[in-house]
Amino acid sequence: MGLFVILIGLQSCNSQKKNENKSATTTTISDLSIYNLPSQWTTQNDKNIEMKDLKGKVLVMVMIYTSCKSACPRLVADMRHIEERIPENLKDKVQLVLVSIDPTVDTPKRLKAFSIENKMDGNQWLFLRSSEENTREFAAVLAVNYKKISPMDFSHSNIISVFNANGELAFQQEGLGVSYDETVNKITEEAEKLN
């Protein structure tokens, strides 16, 4: 029931670019928090986690797959550029998360290699994979659509999502190579609440 509420709640926000949320200082987790999701995920370091393990940081999330040759390299570059623009004094309050839509190919070993290839192997970077079912569920929460169009390729939405420290959607940006000033401003605003 809780997940249904999350999906409906976040889907209704899909048409809005911004969704103002309560202060990150709130200690209770709202029904809209991704920390309510019970799904298990595996990191690039082969560690099992749940979303609630990320609580307390601002999350910047995108869904990609490592064998992608078109949109994903641009999304990865956008994430790196966003990370570079986060003020130094706030970087430890932000987690940049790349979630695979291709868990069959994107094993922890492959995600680790990809993180190193793309100079995204610092502590601020997290790569996640899970079952196909969990991945679909999480994509619905982020309003990311994807489908397999060939054995190696997916068609997918290009959305960068910002979650506050309580796991509530604070902002989404759609598109490739667009200005991410608003995204960086929202990340900074949410991270400053944690000082």
Side-chain angles (χ1 to χ4, degrees):
M1 178 66 178
L3 176 60
F4 180 74
V5 172
I6 292 169
L7 294 177
I8 298 301
L10 288 180
Q11 287 291 355
S12 68
C13 299
N14 185 28
S15 62
Q16 301 171 3
K17 287 284 182 185
K18 284 187 175 181
N19 176 21
E20 296 304 323
N21 292 297
K22 289 179 254 173
S23 168
T25 57
T26 315
T27 53
T28 56
I29 295 175
S30 79
D31 287 343
L32 296 179
S33 175
I34 58 170
Y35 302 141
N36 290 314
L37 295 171
S39 48
Q40 295 281 324
W41 296 83
T42 308
T43 72
Q44 74 269 33
N45 296 317
D46 207 13
K47 180 181 172 193
N48 293 324
I49 67 165
E50 292 180 29
M51 287 295 160
K52 67 183 178 187
D53 296 329
L54 304 178
K55 187 176 182 208
K57 288 195 173 191
V58 176
L59 305 178
V60 185
M61 300 186 132
V62 68
M63 296 190 83
I64 62 153
Y65 63 107
T66 62
S67 57
C68 177
K69 301 289 184 243
S70 54
C72 297
R74 188 57 200 248
L75 280 171
V76 167
D78 285 349
M79 288 287 279
R80 271 203 313 264
H81 291 129
I82 287 168
E83 191 270 342
E84 288 167 5
R85 292 187 51 197
I86 297 169
E88 282 300 322
N89 65 318
L90 299 176
K91 286 194 180 200
D92 64 335
K93 299 181 179 2
V94 178
Q95 186 82 64
L96 297 114
V97 185
L98 294 91
V99 180
S100 173
I101 59 174
D102 189 8
T104 306
V105 171
D106 291 339
T107 62
K109 185 177 179 181
R110 175 66 195 128
L111 292 174
K112 181 72 170 178
F114 185 84
S115 73
I116 293 167
E117 287 163 20
N118 287 281
K119 298 177 176 47
M120 301 168 94
D121 52 340
N123 290 336
Q124 71 273 38
W125 298 102
L126 184 65
F127 288 78
L128 298 177
R129 68 177 294 278
S130 191
S131 67
E132 180 66 33
E133 182 183 352
N134 288 342
T135 304
R136 286 262 171 224
E137 177 183 82
F138 195 65
V141 170
L142 295 184
V144 169
N145 297 310
Y146 70 94
K147 67 178 181 180
K148 199 163 199 155
I149 54 174
S150 78
M152 292 299 291
D153 284 316
F154 291 81
S155 168
H156 61 91
S157 308
N158 303 305
I159 299 175
I160 296 174
S161 303
V162 178
F163 289 84
N164 67 21
N166 289 326
E168 299 158 343
L169 186 64
F171 183 81
Q172 285 190 309
Q173 174 177 315
E174 188 166 7
L176 296 171
V178 297
S179 169
Y180 26 80
D181 290 349
E182 279 189 271
T183 304
V184 172
N185 289 342
K186 192 62 181 178
I187 295 166
T188 302
E189 177 188 321
E190 291 297 338
E192 283 173 344
K193 293 176 185 177
L194 303 176
N195 276 338

